[in-house]
Amino acid sequence: MDENLAASVGKQASEVSKTSEVSTCASAKRLPRNVKLLGWASLLNDVASEMVVPLLPNFLLDSKLLGGSKAWLGAIEGAADSASSLVKLGAGAWSDRVRSRKWFVLPGYAIAAVARPIIGLLTLPWQLLAVRMADRVGKGIRTSPRDAMIADSTAPEMRGWAFGFHRAMDHLGAVIGPLLAAAFLLWVSADLRTLFLWTLLPGLMVVGLLGFGLRERARAVNVGTKHAWTLKPFGWSFRFYLLALVVFTLGNSSDMFLLVRAEEMGVARELLPLLWCVFHVAKSAGNMLAGRAVDRLGPRPMILAGWVVYAAVYLAFAVVSAAWQVWALFLVYALFYALTEPAEKTLVANLVGEEHRGLAYGWYHFAVGIATLPASLVFGWIYDAYGPAAAFGWGAALATVSAAMLAGVRGR
């Protein structure tokens, strides 16, 4: 009797296990609702953002518009991203201690939706600095809780796919935005100010989509405050990963300088949005494919490969001599983003526990953002003082050092 009972129980357990495996496989075929909604929100947000971003250097440097300089460009982009990084840390930590991350994500997108159109009303470089900082603060409020929400909503074995999908949708929006901008400038009006005002429309669509559609599953809330703003909850591997990210970012200046370099090499202003569009087509497709590769190969090898590609591309930008070469380099540069974006965020989730996930993403974005200001300032200064070869060579050198550091990080 005991043997028969044991056999019966074992058979039932086996059947339950098989059913569970089938259920898991079936669920893995579809991305969660929240991941899809956040992907669509990023698409619409980037439609608005990338109608503006490729044209900002020209808007700032044109003596008839704002009359700024490359040093101003570095200061604006660096200060805005560094301010954003502080907010990302606080928002991520706070979102661990409340039941809804949605109420960080929604206001963050709303602030950006209002800030972008205001650029069309500006007349001085310092005003652009203030508005870009407001835009980036909105990004800071939403980013860490949003990434934590994606990780919360997704099984560990498909996180690379989830983050890859989200980044792919983000970049797809960055394809549509420049196309709309180019069409507007070529066929409607060459006035940049009017174009910037129109970005209010997709921004409002984002707020409506998330306000009515986003839902959160029940989750444990971290009510402790002892380690709310520290690295104490995290092990050595996560801390060293952050250090490698800081070193890499110190050589990773704003991509606005690549657009400056493109214009120097003969790419016409009217074609800059198209160049930006092609760049984001490659980034979107690459992220979708690389996200699944992260789940198979692991995030660390993907990041290492991406940083090596970055170093090679920056060295090439240092010696580029023709407009067609710029187009080719932008396509290769997209490979760097595809290899690293889903992998970096997946590695964060792999190195930390669920109870401090928001804080971990806060520290991740903080590490990247806090190095952005000196990175862009130094790059802009080197560019003005010593030329593009020295500036892009500096970025390539730091990418090589950070790749060597990342080799020592071990994830779960």
Side-chain angles (χ1 to χ4, degrees):
M1 286 291 293
D2 292 342
E3 293 178 355
N4 292 336
L5 179 61
S8 176
V9 170
K11 182 178 180 181
Q12 291 177 6
S14 176
E15 290 175 352
V16 169
S17 176
K18 290 179 181 178
T19 302
S20 176
E21 290 174 3
V22 171
S23 175
T24 300
C25 291
S27 65
K29 293 178 181 177
R30 294 190 303 171
L31 288 170
R33 169 191 172 93
N34 281 349
V35 174
K36 293 178 181 178
L37 282 172
L38 290 168
W40 280 105
S42 284
L43 183 148
L44 289 169
N45 183 71
D46 257 43
V47 167
S49 179
E50 301 305 327
M51 290 172 68
V52 175
V53 169
L55 298 166
L56 274 183
N58 186 275
F59 184 67
L60 173 66
L61 300 176
D62 192 329
S63 59
K64 295 180 180 179
L65 294 171
L66 298 191
S69 64
K70 293 185 182 71
W72 261 114
L73 180 61
I76 289 170
E77 293 303 305
D81 284 336
S82 291
S84 175
S85 69
L86 291 171
V87 181
K88 287 173 185 176
L89 177 57
W94 192 6
S95 74
D96 286 334
R97 302 196 299 277
V98 299
R99 294 194 177 277
S100 178
R101 301 194 200 271
K102 174 181 177 178
W103 299 111
F104 294 86
V105 176
L106 188 58
Y109 278 113
I111 292 172
V114 174
R116 275 187 301 260
I118 294 176
I119 295 175
L121 306 175
L122 306 182
T123 58
L124 295 170
W126 70 264
Q127 296 170 344
L128 181 59
L129 171 62
V131 174
R132 283 291 285 169
M133 288 189 69
D135 182 15
R136 297 296 87 181
V137 165
K139 181 180 177 69
I141 292 171
R142 69 181 183 258
T143 299
S144 298
R146 181 202 64 204
D147 289 345
M149 182 182 287
I150 292 173
D152 290 342
S153 304
T154 310
E157 64 272 12
M158 57 188 294
R159 280 186 186 137
W161 181 21
F163 283 116
F165 169 80
H166 178 262
R167 295 304 300 159
M169 292 294 282
D170 186 272
H171 294 313
L172 183 58
V175 172
I176 299 171
L179 283 178
L180 292 177
F184 184 92
L185 293 174
L186 291 171
W187 297 317
V188 179
S189 170
D191 183 19
L192 295 181
R193 298 183 184 277
T194 304
L195 172 65
F196 295 162
L197 292 174
W198 274 103
T199 62
L200 179 64
L201 183 58
L204 293 178
M205 293 171 67
V206 172
V207 176
L209 176 67
L210 295 181
F212 292 103
L214 204 58
R215 300 288 184 271
E216 291 185 79
R217 68 174 177 83
R219 62 181 181 86
V221 177
N222 176 20
V223 297
T225 58
K226 182 178 179 181
H227 303 313
W229 288 70
T230 75
L231 285 166
K232 290 182 180 179
F234 308 119
W236 178 89
S237 288
F238 180 71
R239 299 183 192 192
F240 196 68
Y241 174 44
L242 294 182
L243 181 60
L245 283 168
V246 168
V247 173
F248 175 79
T249 306
L250 286 172
N252 182 18
S253 62
S254 170
D255 286 346
M256 296 298 97
F257 288 107
L258 300 184
L259 293 172
V260 171
R261 185 68 169 146
E263 198 165 8
E264 288 177 348
M265 290 298 100
V267 178
R269 185 179 82 168
E270 292 77 10
L271 293 179
L272 289 178
L274 183 58
L275 174 61
W276 202 244
C277 169
V278 171
F279 176 46
H280 281 283
V281 168
K283 288 167 74 175
S284 180
N287 264 273
M288 189 65 76
L289 295 172
R292 292 179 179 270
V294 170
D295 294 327
R296 294 194 303 269
L297 303 176
R300 193 174 63 93
M302 302 286 284
I303 301 170
L304 282 170
W307 288 358
V308 170
V309 169
Y310 177 92
V313 169
Y314 258 49
L315 285 175
F317 266 112
V319 297
V320 66
S321 58
W324 71 265
Q325 295 171 351
V326 171
W327 288 83
L329 285 176
F330 264 87
L331 289 176
V332 180
Y333 188 50
L335 177 62
F336 151 70
Y337 280 100
L339 290 170
T340 58
E341 286 183 326
E344 286 180 0
K345 294 183 178 181
T346 300
L347 185 55
V348 172
N350 290 355
L351 291 173
V352 304
E354 182 178 359
E355 68 277 9
H356 295 293
R357 189 170 286 155
L359 177 61
Y361 280 110
W363 274 109
Y364 162 76
H365 290 294
F366 176 81
V368 172
I370 201 64
T372 299
L373 175 58
S376 292
L377 285 175
V378 170
F379 193 95
W381 173 76
I382 295 175
Y383 206 128
D384 277 333
Y386 301 103
F392 285 103
W394 163 258
L398 288 187
T400 303
V401 172
S402 59
M405 294 175 63
L406 185 66
V409 175
R410 295 292 181 269
R412 291 185 295 179

